[in-house]
Amino acid sequence: MTGIDQSAGRRQEVNVPVPATGRVRELLARFGSAEACAAKLLCDGHPAEAVAFTVVEADLSARDLTFGELRRDSARCAAALAGLGVGPGDAVATLMGKSADLVVALLGIWRRGAVHVPLFTAFAPPAIALRLEASAAKAVVADVDQRHKLAPGAGMPADASWRVVVAGGEAAGGELSFERLLGAFRGDEPEGRAVALGGDAELVRLFTSGTTGTPKGVPVPVKALASFQAYLEDGLDVRPEDVFWNAADPGWGYGLYYAILGPLAAGHRSLLLHSGFSPALTWQVMRDFGVTNFAAAPTVYRSLRGAPEPAPDGLRLRTASSAGEPLTPEVITWAEQTLGVPVRDHYGQTEHGMVIANGWADAVRSPLRPGSMGRPLPGWSAEVLHDERDEPVPAGTAGRVAIKVADSPLMWFSGYADTPEKTAERFTADGKWYLTGDAGTRDQDGYFHFSARDDDVIIMAGYRIGPFDVESVLLQHELVTDAAVIGVPDALRGEVIEAFVVLRPGTEGDDTLAKELQQLVKARFAAHAYPRTVHFTDQLPKTPSGKIQRFVLREQRRDELDGH
């Protein structure tokens, strides 16, 4: 089937993607073989002189990291990890920003055959400790400005079993210095040689939150690299001549999968900005480094659109892509006028990477339909299922967005670590369908439209936040007896967190207590996940069995905001 892509301002034939292609099979054979070696696939197999990353600093100075340099330094890192007692299959965490040290640490972990556990730098000590304990991490590499979060107290155990390695500064107390550890070894140390464990071996364990219980560990195998590279090719259309920049944080799936792992697998240079986000700096990097292929969450585009700084002259963008939350139509219009290209919306999850997209590659590109997240990419098959039965619904009918496992050769997720009951919730009883937990529709031309999460997860600025995590912290306050957290629409972030709190009898809520609760969430869960508004209420809506009905609170707030 062909069509005309008018959104990009030019006439071009487009093709409907098919579930699998020869290229998909080729990638699966490469990354899924029994002899697959992560270090060779991600580093050693590429030309030593080729640039893997350009690390950009806030002052726009930059450093190129070649595959040859990364092979040498990651071998030293692997040898150092071996010296700390880390073996194949052991977990090693990173609490680091986007930097050269991060890339060396990651490749050192994978060269050793160990499992990487990403820790988002906005996490507070309790959230960090939970992930370290759940993964049984042997060590954690932390930037010097993050080391304080690993000190005993404030949710961090005094008898922690993991070693702390400090990068970018001097070690203190029982800590180890990342720089000194690397300096103690040569690049040809036997302990630093690449370990081959095959395509089914665990490469990453990335934790995701839902609505209840503790965060779930997602084991990401080596063979998932086939999916990550396929998305770079089909969804993002990253070409050899592109200057590629995915601005997402590598502490989360989209940044780790597609700013680091995908480019390494493909042998394509990727920009890493070693600085916090600001519209002005984003414009400068785009202009000065000649970015042609850009990917980010919708919040980034909305921030650029609303920033006082205009887009600079001389931008060279060929493609712009968005993921992490639904993309609103006005951003597409703005992008066409300001960037010279539309922003194409893409959809995926931690458990499987990107599945549905308004892809950029010629073979999959189709006309944009504002509000749609696109169609399944090659290697994937998706449908909308009936709410009560595990069968597809007619086009245009709302239901559950699901992936058809047997017809999705790039599907690599098989279950959460150590939580079989949570895994069972993700698959139908017959194992035929993976249930995303999202609700939506599919039109007669195969375009999917997102409508809502069906498990209450909040998507704020591209970050997925489980309400249970925030509620658990609020309930730690001595005056709080019950709490519920919801996402409320926000023009910039997509959603923001609001909390409904029930206090002990005889206690009055005020601004001071609200600020105290906000700070509590920042300190004990994550700096970005605090409730922007705290509502004090006498009771929460619940089912007869006592479950909080967050949807009732969302509807109430929607009516209030609409002036009803």
Side-chain angles (χ1 to χ4, degrees):
M1 177 179 176
T2 61
I4 304 300
D5 186 344
Q6 297 174 337
S7 63
R10 55 187 179 274
R11 182 181 180 89
Q12 182 170 352
E13 286 193 349
V14 295
N15 301 294
V16 175
V18 294
T21 65
R23 178 56 174 163
V24 167
R25 290 190 289 272
E26 179 183 333
L27 291 171
L28 288 168
R30 178 184 177 199
F31 294 108
S33 75
E35 295 77 33
C37 173
K40 291 181 180 178
L41 292 167
L42 297 172
C43 182
D44 303 357
H46 302 304
E49 69 280 4
V51 176
F53 294 95
T54 296
V55 181
V56 182
E57 302 295 336
D59 62 1
L60 298 182
S61 61
R63 173 189 173 189
D64 285 339
L65 298 174
T66 66
F67 283 103
E69 291 173 310
L70 289 176
R71 179 174 184 174
R72 178 198 66 206
D73 291 346
S74 65
R76 292 172 175 169
C77 181
L81 291 173
L84 296 179
V86 174
D90 288 334
V92 178
T94 59
L95 184 60
M96 308 173 77
K98 292 170 275 190
S99 64
D101 282 345
L102 172 66
V103 178
V104 170
L106 295 183
L107 283 169
I109 293 167
W110 296 325
R111 184 175 297 277
R112 183 62 186 148
V115 179
H116 171 227
V117 179
L119 298 172
F120 184 37
T121 53
F123 280 150
I128 293 169
L130 186 152
R131 288 158 175 80
L132 292 175
E133 291 172 336
S135 63
K138 287 282 190 74
V140 53
V141 186
D143 285 337
V144 67
D145 62 353
Q146 295 287 321
R147 69 199 297 179
H148 65 282
K149 296 180 180 178
L150 299 167
M156 190 64 59
D159 58 347
S161 58
W162 49 81
R163 301 297 302 273
V164 175
V165 182
V166 175
E170 287 297 319
E175 300 169 341
L176 300 168
S177 165
F178 187 68
E179 182 179 3
R180 291 182 182 177
L181 279 178
L182 266 60
F185 294 92
R186 301 184 307 274
D188 58 354
E189 298 283 344
E191 297 85 353
R193 293 174 185 168
V195 175
L197 298 176
D200 290 328
E202 190 174 357
L203 186 72
V204 174
R205 183 167 299 186
L206 183 54
F207 284 81
T208 182
S209 294
T211 56
T212 60
T214 57
K216 305 178 292 291
V218 177
V220 183
V222 173
K223 64 185 178 185
L225 295 171
S227 169
F228 301 160
Q229 183 169 340
Y231 171 66
L232 251 68
E233 296 176 2
D234 292 324
L236 299 176
D237 190 31
V238 178
R239 301 177 182 178
E241 65 272 18
D242 270 331
V243 177
F244 173 62
W245 182 22
N246 177 351
D249 193 289
W252 297 90
Y254 195 69
L256 179 62
Y257 296 170
Y258 306 115
I260 293 183
L261 280 167
L264 283 174
H268 196 287
R269 180 172 73 121
S270 177
L271 296 188
L272 293 178
L273 177 60
H274 187 208
S275 178
F277 169 78
S278 76
L281 183 56
T282 301
W283 286 134
Q284 290 176 317
V285 173
M286 281 190 188
R287 179 196 62 202
D288 291 7
F289 289 85
V291 174
T292 60
N293 194 316
F294 183 64
T299 300
V300 170
Y301 293 105
R302 288 195 290 265
S303 296
L304 294 174
R305 178 173 176 256
E309 305 89 358
D313 295 332
L315 293 182
R316 297 174 52 198
L317 282 180
R318 182 179 66 82
T319 70
S321 305
S322 171
E325 57 185 292
L327 183 69
T328 46
E330 72 273 6
V331 174
I332 299 174
T333 302
W334 166 83
E336 289 179 307
Q337 297 171 347
T338 306
L339 305 178
V341 294
V343 180
R344 286 182 163 256
D345 196 15
H346 301 169
Y347 168 83
Q349 294 181 333
T350 303
E351 289 88 344
H352 44 65
M354 307 311 288
V355 173
I356 298 170
N358 292 287
W360 276 104
D362 290 343
V364 303
R365 190 185 305 163
S366 56
L368 277 181
R369 295 187 180 180
S372 168
M373 54 196 186
R375 295 189 283 187
L377 290 165
W380 297 97
S381 177
E383 265 292 359
V384 175
L385 302 183
H386 193 281
D387 284 334
E388 304 297 332
R389 301 185 301 276
D390 297 332
E391 57 186 50
V393 296
T397 304
R400 299 170 294 160
V401 178
I403 297 169
K404 191 172 185 180
V405 177
D407 292 342
S408 300
L410 288 177
M411 179 74 176
W412 48 264
F413 176 76
S414 59
Y416 298 110
D418 305 320
T419 52
E421 70 284 357
K422 295 298 182 183
T423 298
E425 294 174 4
R426 280 301 194 195
F427 291 91
T428 56
D430 57 7
K432 183 177 180 180
W433 300 97
Y434 168 89
L435 306 173
T436 65
D438 290 325
T441 60
R442 177 186 55 79
D443 66 24
Q444 61 184 4
D445 296 319
Y447 287 80
F448 282 73
H449 297 257
F450 177 91
S451 60
R453 291 289 303 176
D454 69 5
D455 66 356
D456 295 328
V457 165
I458 300 161
I459 306 176
M460 186 186 74
Y463 301 124
R464 304 172 88 86
I465 302 165
F468 179 82
D469 291 313
V470 181
E471 291 163 0
S472 296
V473 174
L474 293 172
L475 288 167
Q476 293 174 24
H477 195 283
E478 61 181 2
L479 298 181
V480 176
T481 62
D482 210 351
V485 165
I486 64 170
V488 175
D490 180 81
L492 178 61
R493 299 177 181 87
E495 286 184 303
V496 292
I497 296 174
E498 293 194 4
F500 292 79
V501 173
V502 179
L503 300 176
R504 290 185 181 278
T507 304
E508 293 291 332
D510 55 20
D511 289 344
T512 300
L513 181 55
K515 291 177 181 178
E516 191 175 325
L517 294 173
Q518 291 171 330
Q519 186 57 41
L520 187 69
V521 174
K522 291 180 183 180
R524 298 189 183 180
F525 176 50
H528 69 295
Y530 73 94
R532 265 55 179 184
T533 303
V534 177
H535 306 274
F536 296 104
T537 183
D538 293 333
Q539 61 181 4
L540 300 175
K542 296 185 177 183
T543 66
S545 63
K547 293 183 179 179
I548 296 173
Q549 294 177 308
R550 297 186 185 91
F551 74 92
V552 173
L553 296 173
R554 286 195 296 268
E555 291 173 356
Q556 290 175 354
R557 284 297 286 147
R558 188 181 303 116
D559 289 343
E560 291 171 2
L561 294 172
D562 289 343
H564 295 165

